[in-house]
Amino acid sequence: MAKNHLKWQGITILFICCIMILSCESKSQEKWLPGMEINTYNGGGMVPESRTVMIKGSTGTYIHWRQPKRDTLTFKCSQQELNDLMKETNVTHFREMNSAETGGIAYDKPTTSIEFTWAGKTHSASDGATQHITSGNAAGFFKLYNYIEALVKKKLGTRY
């Protein structure tokens, strides 16, 4: 009887610890913290054009290059917008995505990449001319990319 009681106590304690760990992890991932940075790139293929977005702190930079012209625009993000962006990286499970070389090159396919930096760590994934998403959800990758593009378009309006 005592062994069963101790066994159930151990299982209960383990269960509570798991809940506490998961709870702490999800709370730390819900807010955009100082030092976090997300960068996106889309360009290449057969078109001499690219778009780059860099969001660091509350400042964002959008660079649109179309040969031979380069436009650089800046914008500000609210803490709520940054927190929503952080939630989107979690919903799409971006940090679980990986990409690898395709072994060939698709000359007419543009490359899309996302790079996220937090707590001194950087994770990136790409899909395009020479790389593809190998683990994680490729649809989630493009969902996150499109979310960031929509945020930039909202911030810049007609200048986008």
Side-chain angles (χ1 to χ4, degrees):
M1 184 79 144
K3 282 185 179 180
N4 275 346
H5 180 68
L6 288 175
K7 178 182 173 183
W8 283 109
Q9 269 186 328
I11 291 172
T12 302
I13 290 171
L14 181 63
F15 180 72
I16 290 170
C17 287
C18 287
I19 289 173
M20 289 173 60
I21 289 169
L22 290 173
S23 155
C24 289
E25 281 182 9
S26 67
K27 284 182 183 173
S28 69
Q29 295 176 0
E30 288 179 5
K31 296 198 183 297
W32 186 272
L33 302 174
M36 288 184 167
E37 183 175 346
I38 198 160
N39 300 307
T40 66
Y41 170 84
N42 178 270
M46 301 298 280
V47 180
E49 182 176 22
S50 68
R51 294 209 285 265
T52 303
V53 175
M54 298 173 285
I55 299 173
K56 184 175 185 177
S58 63
T59 302
T61 304
Y62 170 72
I63 301 168
H64 180 232
W65 172 79
R66 181 165 179 106
Q67 191 176 17
K69 188 177 177 191
R70 178 181 162 151
D71 294 312
T72 302
L73 304 168
T74 59
F75 56 93
K76 292 287 185 187
C77 292
S78 69
Q79 186 62 46
Q80 185 60 53
E81 289 168 326
L82 294 170
N83 291 345
D84 290 345
L85 175 55
M86 184 71 236
K87 287 178 189 172
E88 192 66 22
T89 64
N90 292 333
V91 166
T92 59
H93 303 283
F94 175 70
R95 287 173 279 183
E96 297 168 18
M97 294 179 195
N98 291 299
S99 53
E101 297 294 321
T102 59
I105 186 165
Y107 291 101
D108 59 345
K109 185 174 183 181
T111 296
T112 303
S113 64
I114 303 172
E115 180 180 88
F116 179 52
T117 301
W118 76 102
K121 300 173 188 161
T122 299
H123 181 75
S124 61
S126 294
D127 186 88
T130 62
Q131 291 190 324
H132 66 285
I133 304 296
T134 56
S135 64
N137 182 345
F141 173 83
F142 286 103
K143 182 178 183 228
L144 177 58
Y145 176 80
N146 289 329
Y147 181 90
I148 295 166
E149 284 287 304
L151 173 63
V152 173
K153 189 172 186 176
K154 174 184 149 191
K155 300 308 283 183
L156 294 177
T158 57
R159 298 182 300 155
Y160 173 78

